[in-house]
Amino acid sequence: MTRTSTTAVDYGQLFHQAPAGYIVAGTDGTILAANATMCAWTGIPEGGLDGTRLLDLMPVGDRLMYRTHAGPKLERDGHLAELSIELLGPDGQRRPVLLSVTRTVDGAEPRDLMIFFAAPERRRYERELASAHRRLEDAETDRAKLLQEAHHRALHDPLTGLPNRRHLEENLLAALASAGEQRNRVGVLFCDVNKFKQVNDTLGHAAGDQVLEHVALMLSQAVRGADTVTRYSGDEFVVLIPWLEHPAELEAVAGRVRSCLAGAVTIAGSELRLGMSVGQAETAVPADADPAAHKELAKALLLAADQDMYRVKTKMRGASGAG
């Protein structure tokens, strides 16, 4: 019993203290209850509106509009979303308001629950709401951008901007899965910059970074559009060739990669002639291979290309006598 009484008091406080005007009226327009805001707007003491007619609070023109527009709509739909009218205030002043009405059945008699929003305040609320919505959208856009940037940083090398080792692993597994479905082969080139340690030792690490940036650019220009160049680690780069229909394609890409550093480049005031040791490997993919088999194939393919790169480097050292 106490709980019901407390609830009734709370609703009464909400009704009378609301910043908008509230009226409960019969379907004939007789006011049964009006809140404090409504009384203040009309200049009538609290309780003084009870038993009066709603239409008496409006100018003549708005009374006609209410009869012809609001009345039939309430009868038909049971609600009125928004109607722009004026209320008569003290000394004949007019207050523009926006009226919303809902017809409910309370016991045996239907009632019209009316809310009057002061038009300027309503427009201000709408502007504030729109502004808050824009801020929310901007915050969500910023959040999405930050997430995208974080994802990009996680998958790319900060020095060269190339995909990193983790990105290569994802792309290689995807290429192997596609190759199993399409019955094509996948190739990998493992590239190591020759005599890179000498550059760091003689010109410094800043010069070494410039060399890596130059190599990354040259490699990216040497491969095909579908191929991916990755900075694997240090001065090692990997080229993923996701689609091979003929064995000669792998050698063709490898040839362009080997020759892409043929020209001289000036680094830290010194003219350098760079070169790379390039190992290569390729594999077919069984059509019934599952993700676990793809992972094993990826490891085997990278290892084979890495071993072939060391074979080439060892052969070059033996031929030149250089380190």
Side-chain angles (χ1 to χ4, degrees):
M1 191 69 174
T2 304
R3 182 178 301 173
T4 303
S5 176
T6 302
T7 302
V9 171
D10 290 344
Y11 277 118
Q13 290 177 342
L14 289 173
F15 180 78
H16 284 289
Q17 296 176 6
Y22 281 81
I23 282 179
V24 179
T27 56
D28 62 353
T30 301
I31 297 175
L32 304 176
N35 72 344
T37 299
M38 201 69 197
C39 292
W41 285 354
T42 57
I44 297 175
E46 291 189 28
L49 288 173
D50 297 359
T52 63
R53 295 195 319 150
L54 172 68
L55 293 180
D56 291 341
L57 303 180
M58 306 177 192
V60 174
D62 287 344
R63 295 177 194 174
L64 178 61
M65 181 170 59
Y66 188 85
R67 287 195 185 100
T68 58
H69 179 76
K73 191 171 192 319
L74 283 170
E75 292 291 338
R76 183 180 66 252
D77 302 332
H79 64 85
L80 177 68
E82 190 173 276
L83 179 67
S84 178
I85 63 171
E86 291 182 327
L87 290 177
L88 296 175
D91 301 323
Q93 296 176 358
R94 296 189 178 194
R95 176 185 293 270
V97 295
L98 298 171
L99 170 62
S100 297
V101 186
T102 300
R103 178 159 292 178
T104 63
V105 178
D106 184 9
E109 295 293 331
R111 296 286 184 265
D112 288 342
L113 305 180
M114 303 179 174
I115 305 177
F116 297 79
F117 294 98
E121 294 177 5
R122 176 64 176 269
R123 300 308 181 201
R124 176 170 58 82
Y125 294 152
E126 290 175 348
R127 289 194 298 269
E128 291 176 352
L129 182 61
S131 178
H133 184 65
R134 285 193 298 271
R135 289 196 299 271
L136 184 61
E137 287 183 334
D138 291 343
E140 185 61 27
T141 299
D142 291 342
R143 176 178 173 273
K145 184 178 180 181
L146 288 173
L147 288 174
Q148 185 178 13
E149 291 174 352
H151 184 258
H152 185 273
R153 287 195 298 271
L155 296 177
H156 289 78
D157 172 50
L159 175 64
T160 63
L162 293 177
N164 60 16
R165 188 168 180 168
R166 178 182 168 189
H167 202 322
L168 169 66
E169 292 169 353
E170 293 181 2
N171 285 350
L172 180 52
L173 289 175
L176 292 169
S178 176
E181 296 173 357
Q182 303 296 327
R183 303 298 178 89
N184 61 283
R185 301 175 71 84
V186 176
V188 163
L189 302 179
F190 211 106
C191 312
D192 182 86
V193 181
N194 296 332
K195 302 180 181 179
F196 181 71
K197 186 175 183 302
Q198 283 185 245
V199 175
N200 278 335
D201 291 345
T202 57
L203 300 179
H205 289 282
D209 286 348
Q210 292 181 49
V211 167
L212 293 175
E213 291 174 321
H214 174 72
V215 171
L217 177 62
M218 294 298 101
L219 281 172
S220 298
Q221 294 176 350
V223 301
R224 305 173 305 178
D227 304 333
T228 303
V229 180
T230 297
R231 186 184 178 194
Y232 194 72
S233 66
D235 62 332
E236 294 178 331
F237 296 81
V238 170
V239 178
L240 170 62
I241 305 168
W243 186 282
L244 289 170
E245 293 184 348
H246 192 277
E249 291 181 77
L250 180 63
E251 179 54 39
V253 178
R256 291 201 298 271
V257 166
R258 282 191 292 265
S259 62
C260 73
L261 299 180
V265 60
T266 300
I267 301 290
S270 299
E271 186 178 273
L272 303 179
R273 290 196 172 273
L274 304 170
M276 278 189 299
S277 299
V278 180
Q280 56 192 71
E282 62 173 297
T283 186
V285 184
D288 59 352
D290 59 14
H294 294 155
K295 288 184 178 181
E296 293 303 317
L297 275 174
K299 292 178 182 177
L301 188 60
L302 287 170
L303 179 60
D306 189 20
Q307 291 175 338
D308 190 51
M309 182 272 292
Y310 274 105
R311 179 190 63 78
V312 172
K313 183 176 283 290
T314 300
K315 183 177 179 181
M316 292 176 63
R317 285 173 176 171
S320 64

